[in-house]
Amino acid sequence: MLKQFIHKSFSILMALLVLISTVSFTVEKHYCGDVLVDVSLFTEVQKCGMEALEMEMAAITKMSCCKDTVDIVQGQDELSFKTFNDLDFNQQIFLVSFSYSYLNLFEGLPEQVIPHRDYSPPNLIRDIQVLDQVFII
């Protein structure tokens, strides 16, 4: 039961690791001057409303106070599959010896033998401790 639970949870963990490593996303940020106005992951950022003024001022100053930055978090594009034959000889020997020694750690113990299981204690006729006046204090 515990082995199945560990196996399933490890499988789910590995699947999530592959999913997270292959996901790509972009982070868009809108700055007005040096102040961060909006950050967006899945939609476009909301502008601060200065675009109309910037168009008029662009002809005069040729400089804009607002800027947009886009940070791209690139995921892994290709997953590589390796087989046992792709490893060099020393890696193969290490892998086989490690797995052999690890699996032999969990050999089952033989059933424990209890020699007095079928032994019944003798019937007491008198209480020997009271008869000999020996008391445990």
Side-chain angles (χ1 to χ4, degrees):
M1 180 76 174
L2 181 64
K3 185 177 179 181
Q4 290 176 347
F5 175 73
I6 291 172
H7 180 68
K8 287 182 181 180
S9 61
F10 186 70
S11 299
I12 290 171
L13 180 70
M14 292 301 288
L16 288 175
L17 181 68
V18 169
L19 179 69
I20 290 171
S21 69
T22 56
V23 170
S24 302
F25 60 94
T26 60
V27 178
E28 296 184 35
K29 299 175 186 174
H30 179 74
Y31 291 95
C32 191
D34 289 334
V35 178
L36 179 64
V37 175
D38 191 26
V39 177
S40 176
L41 286 174
F42 301 110
T43 60
E44 290 188 17
V45 293
Q46 291 180 352
K47 308 293 182 179
C48 61
M50 299 285 291
E51 288 80 24
L53 292 174
E54 287 179 13
M55 296 298 275
E56 295 173 4
M57 294 178 65
I60 300 169
T61 62
K62 307 269 187 205
M63 189 178 275
S64 173
C65 70
C66 292
K67 65 179 179 178
D68 293 328
T69 60
V70 178
D71 297 329
I72 299 173
V73 178
Q74 192 71 358
Q76 188 177 6
D77 290 339
E78 296 180 11
L79 297 176
S80 62
F81 297 103
K82 300 262 182 186
T83 62
F84 186 73
N85 294 331
D86 292 338
L87 301 174
D88 64 350
F89 185 68
N90 290 333
Q91 290 174 338
Q92 288 178 355
I93 289 176
F94 174 76
L95 187 62
V96 169
S97 62
F98 179 76
S99 61
Y100 179 75
S101 63
Y102 184 75
L103 290 175
N104 284 336
L105 285 175
F106 301 109
E107 286 183 3
L109 297 174
E111 187 176 329
Q112 189 175 12
V113 177
I114 302 172
H116 58 278
R117 180 179 12 185
D118 298 326
Y119 174 74
S120 61
N123 293 332
L124 295 176
I125 299 172
R126 295 186 183 154
D127 192 3
I128 296 175
Q129 290 180 345
V130 174
L131 185 63
D132 294 334
Q133 294 186 357
V134 176
F135 303 105
I136 300 175
I137 297 177

